[in-house]
Amino acid sequence: CAIIFTPDDTHFEIAMECIERGMHVMITKPPVKTLEEHAAIAEAAARKGVLCVIEVHKRYDPMYADAADRIQNLGPFSF
């Protein structure tokens, strides 16, 4: 398996190469830049019979959940 923890603009090429070699992949977010890249990865993974997952390790971390709640008081914000 491969864990892709590289600069965002390299995720797609690396993931596709790994999938084509029959490797399961885990990609840190954001996984890719476009919907077309998402579709290509999903199709390739299905064709090769491998898993492709997105790493979201901080989503349920209490510290980050608290920060997400508090940040709402700052107004419109994307995180």
Side-chain angles (χ1 to χ4, degrees), residues 48-62:
K48 289 297 208 172
V50 298
L51 298 175
C52 179
V53 298
I54 309 306
E55 179 267 343
V56 289
H57 73 282
K58 297 292 186 189
R59 178 167 289 179
Y60 300 107
D61 183 311

Side-chain angles (χ1 to χ4, degrees), residues 8-9 12-13 16 31-42:
D8 297 348
D9 62 344
F12 179 71
E13 288 182 27
M16 289 298 285
V32 292
K33 297 183 282 185
T34 68
L35 183 57
E36 291 77 19
E37 289 177 345
H38 277 275
I41 285 178

Side-chain angles (χ1 to χ4, degrees), residues 6-18:
T6 59
D8 297 348
D9 62 344
T10 65
H11 291 179
F12 179 71
E13 288 182 27
I14 295 169
M16 289 298 285
E17 182 65 30
C18 292

Side-chain angles (χ1 to χ4, degrees), residues 16-32:
M16 289 298 285
E17 182 65 30
C18 292
I19 291 168
E20 290 302 323
R21 292 174 183 238
M23 299 170 69
H24 301 294
V25 297
M26 175 185 284
I27 308 171
T28 58
K29 60 182 193 168
V32 292

